[in-house]
Amino acid sequence: MPRWLWVLLGEIVVVASPVAAALLSHPTPFSFALPTALLASAALPLRLRWPWLAMLLCLPGLVGGLGWPPAIIALYRIGRVYRFRVTLVWVAAGLIAMLLPLHLKLAMPWQDRVMSVAFSVFGLLGPAAFGVLVRLRRELIASLAETRRARSAELEARIESARAAERARIAREIHDAVGHHATLIAVQSAALAATAPDDATREVALRLRVLARESLAEMRAALGLLNDTARPLGLADLPDLLTRVCRAGLHIDFDGDVSADDTSPAVGRAIYRIVQEALTNVTKHAPASSVQVRLVRDTPHVLVSIVNAPPTRPPTPATDGPGGTGLEGLTERVNTVGGTLRAQPLPDGGFSVLAELPLHPPTKVEPAHSTSGGTTPTLSEP
């Protein structure tokens, strides 16, 4: 049954009940008692929008002596909506309208007068008080829910603060430990370059020194230990990365545009890290192999592909070893900017890393994935 039909049936019952009570009541000395009571009963639906108007229309019925059934319903609504002082004012108005004309017109013993006052007070104050209690209970429930939400937010803030403190402690440990060793590598590489007997050894030593210094700088930037002028690595730094890796013995075939005009900085950093991690894995597990790096812009997406051929020689024990968590970290980084990452071995013994990223990552009010609900072209594997 529709909700509006339930509301209609409820209002019919609300109006019919006081009408029946007024019709079944004993006649009163006032000739206008029954018509005013029926009018007050018919006006009860107004209490949902204007409770004061419904109660105001009940006052003539209370003067006549038959308006107490609709007044009970109206006063309950008054207690539900208005504050305690306003409710008391309307209860007092109802008592005056109900008692004053009756006691002035009729002569009755004082015992009857006391019982009439007591009945009127409890008859009108009770529904209003019940409405006030229902309202206070509703407000208390809302207040408790708000308190629970505030406590939950405070607890989450404390947990996040503890996590931030732990992350800061770990960052300091990483900086102290890794920074120490990277500095030693740079110093010893410089010493080796100064004492090298041939140019090839000197060039390799100087290259190691530069790599150690760049690694230390990147680590400090990632840990937030540099000043605000430090520029994070992005698409513009991709050629330098490819050049350094080529010097390590890889043959790289690059096809793409490294201009960052139509790419957000976050996506540019993600592309740089994807290529860097993929080439690092190739250097470790497939040394001296050929690598194809493709960067394809297909508005509104950018497709990144790093595919390496099978290794031409087995990896050395110094570079080969258990896999780390680099690809897992890349997957998390790509998901952060609304993209997808897929890494898998190829049948010929090579390895493929495919990433699809939006040129501009979605905001918090947009879908988590920029291709949600549509299709985008995929980059076929070679």
Side-chain angles (χ1 to χ4, degrees), residues 56-352:
L56 185 64
L57 295 176
C58 289
L59 293 181
L62 289 174
V63 173
L66 296 180
W68 58 270
I72 289 175
I73 299 175
L75 282 174
Y76 169 76
R77 182 64 181 177
I78 289 286
R80 284 286 307 269
V81 175
Y82 297 120
R83 295 296 176 182
F84 186 68
R85 293 182 179 179
V86 178
T87 303
L88 282 182
V89 171
W90 282 108
V91 171
L95 289 174
I96 293 173
M98 188 173 184
L99 294 176
L100 189 59
L102 182 64
H103 285 259
L104 291 178
K105 186 175 182 63
L106 298 179
M108 60 182 71
W110 66 270
Q111 295 90 343
D112 293 343
R113 294 182 184 275
V114 172
M115 293 300 298
S116 175
V117 171
F119 173 80
S120 301
V121 170
F122 286 103
L124 297 183
L125 185 60
F130 185 66
V132 171
L133 290 176
V134 172
R135 175 176 57 81
L136 292 178
R137 180 179 180 274
R138 181 183 59 193
E139 294 177 355
L140 179 60
I141 292 175
S143 177
L144 291 176
E146 183 64 27
T147 302
R148 284 195 295 267
R149 285 192 294 268
R151 292 184 63 183
S152 178
E154 180 183 2
L155 181 60
E156 291 180 1
R158 290 182 179 180
I159 294 175
E160 184 60 30
S161 177
R163 289 174 178 171
E166 183 64 16
R167 286 194 294 265
R169 185 188 66 81
I170 295 174
R172 288 193 297 269
E173 291 291 335
I174 293 175
H175 175 264
D176 294 341
V178 180
H180 171 72
H181 293 293
T183 302
L184 290 180
I185 293 174
V187 172
Q188 294 182 19
S189 299
L192 178 60
T195 59
D198 55 85
D199 293 339
T201 305
R202 184 180 301 106
E203 182 181 355
V204 173
L206 291 176
R207 195 182 307 150
L208 287 176
R209 181 173 180 268
V210 172
L211 291 175
R213 292 178 59 184
E214 290 180 354
S215 300
L216 185 59
E218 287 192 31
M219 181 195 66
R220 287 175 175 171
L223 297 179
L225 298 176
L226 288 179
N227 53 34
D228 295 336
T229 61
R231 183 182 65 85
L233 298 175
L235 275 179
D237 303 288
L238 201 56
D240 294 337
L241 172 65
L242 299 178
T243 301
R244 291 198 305 268
V245 177
C246 286
R247 291 174 181 172
L250 294 182
H251 174 71
I252 300 178
D253 180 17
F254 177 72
D255 180 17
D257 182 11
V258 295
S259 62
D261 297 337
D262 58 345
T263 307
S264 70
V267 173
R269 290 193 294 271
I271 294 174
Y272 182 89
R273 294 305 182 188
I274 291 170
V275 177
Q276 183 186 46
E277 178 64 23
L279 294 180
T280 300
N281 289 338
V282 174
T283 304
K284 288 178 58 178
H285 305 294
S289 63
S290 60
V291 185
Q292 186 181 38
V293 179
R294 298 176 62 189
L295 184 62
V296 181
R297 282 181 171 83
D298 188 2
T299 306
H301 303 91
V302 57
L303 307 176
V304 184
S305 170
I306 304 96
V307 180
N308 66 276
T312 58
R313 57 181 175 85
T316 62
T319 59
D320 191 26
T325 59
L327 290 179
E328 287 78 3
L330 279 185
T331 303
E332 182 65 25
R333 179 186 288 269
V334 170
N335 291 338
T336 301
V337 296
T340 57
L341 179 73
R342 184 176 60 185
Q344 59 185 4
L346 299 178
D348 61 355
F351 199 84
S352 170

